[in-house]
Amino acid sequence: MKDVLVYQIGCGTFGRHGLRKFFELEKDLNVNLKVEGVCDVDSSARKLAERIAREFGRRIKTFAYTYDMYRDAYEKQKEGHAILIYDASPSHLHASHFIKSMHHNFFHIAEKPLAMTKEEFTQVKMASKTYQKPILCDFIESENEVVLTAINYLEQHK
């Protein structure tokens, strides 16, 4: 099997931690996982991603626009690689990135909620009917004990 290539969107506060974790997984696990590139509109964030890669003895591609990143990932997929998108971008962009990943048959992990509004959730749900790949999605807050307790309280006090 060829490598699973990781492309990351966003290298801000959480993104830089996630990037380091992927490099640690790449180094420590006996799997074919390789960080391939990082996309961020901020040039200083791209430089930070390159610096983090050098800390792990690696070089990565950087992209200013997701269009270029997805195009590169698609070319690698045609070579037989599996593609994983790690989305650490602002939350309001997650739904559109997820739909792009589904369109290209990429795996996708969103670092924050996948949808911020009912409309975004509906778009994701409709896209899941359009594309053949099944969607495995866990809205993190749906498992949060505080949220579950609040829901339980509200149901008891209708």
Side-chain angles (χ1 to χ4, degrees):
M1 179 181 116
K2 296 221 178 192
D3 293 334
V4 174
L5 302 181
V6 177
Y7 287 83
Q8 179 170 315
I9 305 171
C11 196
T13 303
F14 290 109
R16 69 186 70 163
H17 297 299
L19 183 60
R20 281 190 171 93
K21 290 295 180 189
F22 273 111
F23 278 119
E24 289 171 9
L25 285 172
E26 180 182 305
K27 186 180 89 175
D28 295 340
L29 295 179
N30 189 19
V31 295
N32 296 336
L33 178 79
K34 180 181 174 197
V35 177
E36 185 72 11
V38 172
C39 178
D40 200 301
V41 294
D42 182 356
S43 63
S44 62
R46 292 192 303 272
K47 289 176 184 169
L48 172 63
E50 291 169 348
R51 193 166 49 248
I52 291 170
R54 284 192 302 273
E55 289 173 16
F56 288 88
R58 289 283 322 287
R59 289 175 45 109
I60 58 170
K61 298 175 186 175
T62 57
F63 308 90
Y65 303 103
T66 57
Y67 175 84
D68 297 324
M69 184 204 74
Y70 273 92
R71 187 177 60 205
D72 189 81
Y74 180 68
E75 291 302 317
K76 294 293 185 179
Q77 183 185 53
K78 289 194 311 190
E79 295 173 10
H81 298 283
I83 305 298
L84 170 65
I85 305 295
Y86 171 60
D87 193 351
S89 68
S91 297
H92 69 278
L93 298 173
H94 286 201
S96 65
H97 294 159
F98 181 74
I99 291 168
K100 283 182 204 172
S101 291
M102 285 192 338
H103 175 75
H104 288 92
N105 203 29
F106 297 162
F107 296 98
H108 191 98
I109 299 173
E111 175 261 323
K112 296 180 193 109
L114 183 57
M116 295 294 291
T117 65
K118 183 178 180 181
E119 290 77 23
E120 288 177 349
F121 181 79
T122 301
Q123 289 173 345
V124 168
K125 187 176 176 184
M126 294 306 293
S128 71
K129 294 178 181 177
T130 304
Y131 301 106
Q132 297 297 318
K133 188 173 186 173
I135 296 175
L136 300 175
C137 180
D138 180 17
F139 288 93
I140 295 167
E141 293 305 314
S142 69
E143 303 298 325
N144 182 321
E145 286 298 321
V146 174
V147 173
L148 293 173
T149 300
I151 290 170
N152 187 31
Y153 177 83
L154 292 170
E155 288 176 353
Q156 290 178 4
H157 295 88
K158 285 183 181 180

